[in-house]
Amino acid sequence: MPVATLTLPHVSQPPLTTKYKRPHHVIHHAPPYKSMEELAAEVKKLFEKPLADKRLFDLSSQLQVQYRESLQCSTISMLPSFQHTLPTGQEQGDFLALDVGGSTFRVALIRLCGKKDDSDGLQVRRVRSYAIDEAIRDLPGQAFFDWMAQRIGDMATEYSYITGTTNAFLRMGLAWSFPVEQTSSSTGKLLAMGKGFRASQGLEGEDVGELVMRGCRARGLNVAICAIVNDSAATLLSQAYRDPATRMSLILGTGVNAAVYLPLSALGPGKLGERPDKWHAAAKSVVVNTELSMFGKEIMPTTRWDEELNLRHKMPNYQPLEYLITGRYLGEIVRLVLLEAITTRGLFAGYVPEHLDEAYAFDTRIVGAFESDRSEGLESAQAAFMAAHPMLSPPTLAELNFIRDVAKLVSRRASAYLATALHAFWVVSSWNSDHQAGKFERTTIACDGSLMEKYPGFRKATQRCLDRLCALSGAETGTVTLQMAPESSIFGAAVAVSCNG
Ligand code: GLC
């Protein structure tokens, strides 16, 4: 039975929209009805309260119910790919890998050489990264795919140059960090894109590969899309190339997702849609894109700042777990807490530092800077903060400590909720008679994404919490391990092409 969302008394505060037009605007009437200390204690209580292990274990059980239901009949999550075999690690060839992430587009020339004793056989020959800023996220429909095609063209030219050919043919694999309904291993219907992108507007249901190819053909590029995979599936495939025992993957960057290799019997009868007889004859298991971000509504406890974020979001309620734990949102949650502290408790003497009144302006990297700064004066965190958000006079040490405490609370909760979602995922995907007999196979979860890779202490905190939850399930520490899979999206895109023959 779903537990009611933790509802908290709403502190009345001035509406945000009109008060923050200009930086350095003084809020003269900020109600001093609570002190900063009282707010700090309240923030701590609200973020920490749901994190007792037993409570998380209970949340995991509720998530398991949502996962099982979606495996039976959801059309937006637990999406089966066409990938029914995993790589052997001996596939070879040159491929162009495209990686469309939430904040970066990468185009890479990948060479698969086959795994040997002293090498994993995966090589990046050339890679170019292009930042995806708000202007690119805002490109509507085909304009976004044309923007991609132009960058693909640049790499194709470079390939011709290094191979001494003119307009050499390249097979492309696309790692797509958005939901996609696969219609074959190289085609898939565009579904609503989160992360603030507008490219799917007016194009939902169209083939993602064709949208990319339209832009490429217009430029006369000699390329073909030969595989489309969600980035979570790409992570699984790239790590399976290195280690054939890989069965699960996790991405945690701008967004969150997980993929799993499951027997077909785990899926409801309608989940596979139309597939050729040949596919059915060959397939026993399939790589499933869970779209993990979409779970947790009405389960994961939230605070008033989460609720505000959700209400102001372009797609409220679309990806409830994502809004609580990923790189796109950690900074935003901290920003909303700080704004409340400024307007109602006189933080920074009631001045709003520049840009702090703009949605999504507080970068999660700055949140991380507060956590990694171990100095007493928090000098480097302060420098990072003030560089992005100049203010008339520098914050006091007490104010810097407040920001650091909020940063810690928000990121600790994120790692605990992620561990809970993974624990639930592990139980659902591997629960069998062995488990009931108290025996557990070791499971490695291949991980990638900027938070997992770079956010100070995040992966360790997630692993510790996961260990405690697995222990409550009767498994010993080390049963489920998070392992980084470097460059997983670009390698996975190339491996996917090679698997398609
Ligand atoms: C988002 C997308 C998902 C993607 C994930 C990680 O949640 O919906 O498809 O895999 O982010 O990038």
Side-chain angles (χ1 to χ4, degrees):
M1 211 179 64
V3 157
T5 306
L6 194 66
T7 41
L8 299 152
H10 192 85
V11 176
S12 67
Q13 47 178 303
L16 293 175
T17 40
T18 50
K19 296 278 189 290
Y20 293 96
K21 285 277 179 317
R22 259 178 282 123
H24 311 315
H25 182 71
V26 190
I27 312 296
H28 293 292
H29 52 276
Y33 51 83
K34 270 192 189 171
S35 68
M36 270 302 298
E37 288 71 25
E38 278 173 303
L39 175 67
E42 190 195 6
V43 174
K44 184 166 157 57
K45 193 174 110 208
L46 296 183
F47 279 95
E48 279 184 345
K49 198 173 162 196
L51 307 189
D53 288 349
K54 288 235 162 68
R55 180 84 199 275
L56 295 178
F57 193 73
D58 179 45
L59 296 176
S60 166
S61 307
Q62 295 171 53
L63 282 173
Q64 289 160 36
V65 175
Q66 282 194 346
Y67 293 176
R68 288 204 176 90
E69 281 169 9
S70 296
L71 278 166
Q72 287 309 304
C73 52
S74 170
T75 52
I76 55 166
S77 61
M78 300 295 177
L79 305 171
S81 67
F82 273 66
Q83 204 78 46
H84 60 79
T85 50
L86 294 178
T88 60
Q90 291 314 315
E91 296 78 3
Q92 301 192 1
D94 281 346
F95 307 97
L96 190 62
L98 312 177
D99 166 23
V100 183
S103 45
T104 320
F105 173 44
R106 296 200 304 160
V107 186
L109 280 174
I110 301 294
R111 176 163 290 175
L112 304 183
C113 318
K115 192 169 51 186
K116 306 200 175 49
D117 286 347
D118 57 348
S119 109
D120 64 8
L122 299 162
Q123 283 179 13
V124 182
R125 298 188 70 202
R126 291 283 190 284
V127 61
R128 289 190 188 185
S129 287
Y130 304 92
I132 299 183
D133 56 18
E134 284 303 323
I136 307 296
R137 278 197 193 97
D138 237 22
L139 288 176
Q142 186 65 42
F144 176 75
F145 296 94
D146 291 345
W147 176 84
M148 283 176 65
Q150 192 178 340
R151 274 116 205 115
I152 296 170
D154 292 346
M155 187 57 93
T157 307
E158 185 157 347
Y159 183 66
S160 295
Y161 176 74
I162 59 178
T163 50
T165 52
T166 46
N167 211 11
F169 176 65
L170 270 168
R171 290 193 289 162
M172 301 194 293
L174 169 65
W176 185 244
S177 75
F178 304 91
V180 54
E181 184 191 328
Q182 304 259 184
T183 43
S184 77
S185 52
S186 59
T187 55
K189 288 185 190 165
L190 184 66
L191 301 178
M193 292 165 81
K195 301 176 184 172
F197 280 69
R198 285 181 60 211
S200 56
Q201 279 179 14
L203 295 180
E204 271 180 52
E206 292 209 26
D207 174 30
V208 181
E210 175 53 25
L211 292 168
V212 176
M213 281 307 296
R214 210 175 275 161
C216 292
R217 277 195 300 270
R219 286 178 168 70
L221 306 181
N222 192 12
V223 293
I225 282 268
C226 299
I228 296 177
V229 277
N230 178 260
D231 57 347
S232 62
T235 302
L236 200 159
L237 292 176
S238 73
Q239 191 59 19
Y241 190 92
R242 299 186 180 101
D243 171 7
T246 311
R247 292 288 177 275
M248 284 166 73
S249 68
L250 164 75
I251 298 267
L252 183 67
T254 312
V256 63
N257 201 0
V260 59
Y261 189 55
L262 282 181
L264 295 186
S265 58
L267 296 165
K271 287 287 286 193
L272 292 171
E274 297 251 316
R275 294 181 184 224
D277 291 345
K278 214 172 95 199
W279 190 91
H280 284 286
K284 292 200 169 48
S285 296
V286 67
V287 174
V288 175
N289 161 17
T290 65
E291 288 296 335
L292 197 64
S293 63
M294 294 184 184
F295 293 91
K297 191 73 200 157
E298 309 287 321
I299 295 179
M300 304 320 262
T302 52
T303 66
R304 60 176 176 272
W305 303 286
D306 303 308
E307 279 148 29
E308 185 176 342
L309 184 154
N310 182 51
L311 282 176
R312 289 169 183 235
H313 199 282
K314 283 183 196 159
M315 300 169 90
N317 304 321
Y318 182 55
Q319 296 179 300
L321 185 67
E322 188 150 308
Y323 301 168
L324 295 166
I325 71 171
T326 72
R328 180 157 169 79
Y329 301 103
L330 296 193
E332 182 61 2
I333 300 169
V334 175
R335 189 187 74 89
L336 292 173
V337 177
L338 294 185
L339 275 187
E340 183 180 318
I342 295 168
T343 52
T344 67
R345 327 288 152 114
L347 182 76
F348 309 142
Y351 283 87
V352 182
E354 222 168 295
H355 305 304
L356 206 68
D357 54 344
E358 294 162 19
Y360 298 96
F362 194 51
D363 197 312
T364 296
R365 273 175 292 208
I366 300 178
V367 183
F370 274 89
E371 288 216 46
S372 58
D373 189 342
R374 299 284 156 91
S375 72
E376 255 182 45
L378 290 169
E379 286 88 4
S380 62
Q382 172 175 335
F385 181 65
M386 288 191 62
H389 304 286
M391 50 204 292
L392 287 180
S393 47
T396 65
L397 185 56
E399 289 171 332
L400 291 171
N401 277 323
F402 176 71
I403 306 178
R404 192 211 32 214
D405 292 348
V406 176
K408 277 191 175 164
L409 289 165
V410 171
S411 80
R412 287 301 162 274
R413 183 187 66 165
S415 59
Y417 281 5
L418 174 64
T420 306
L422 290 175
H423 173 264
F425 183 45
W426 168 68
V427 172
V428 167
S429 61
S430 56
W431 196 262
N432 57 26
S433 50
D434 283 355
H435 283 72
Q436 275 142 38
K439 285 190 253 147
F440 300 92
E441 241 178 61
R442 294 204 181 278
T443 307
T444 302
I445 304 181
C447 304
D448 205 356
S450 52
L451 243 73
M452 274 290 150
E453 195 188 349
K454 297 189 189 135
Y455 193 95
F458 200 95
R459 184 155 55 99
K460 274 199 185 141
T462 308
Q463 181 71 63
R464 279 198 299 269
C465 187
L466 188 55
D467 286 346
R468 294 197 302 273
L469 293 174
C470 290
L472 287 174
S473 295
E476 63 188 41
T477 299
T479 302
V480 186
T481 316
L482 301 171
Q483 181 177 344
M484 287 309 291
E487 302 291 15
S488 68
S489 288
I490 49 178
F491 284 144
V495 169
V497 179
S498 75
C499 286
N500 292 346

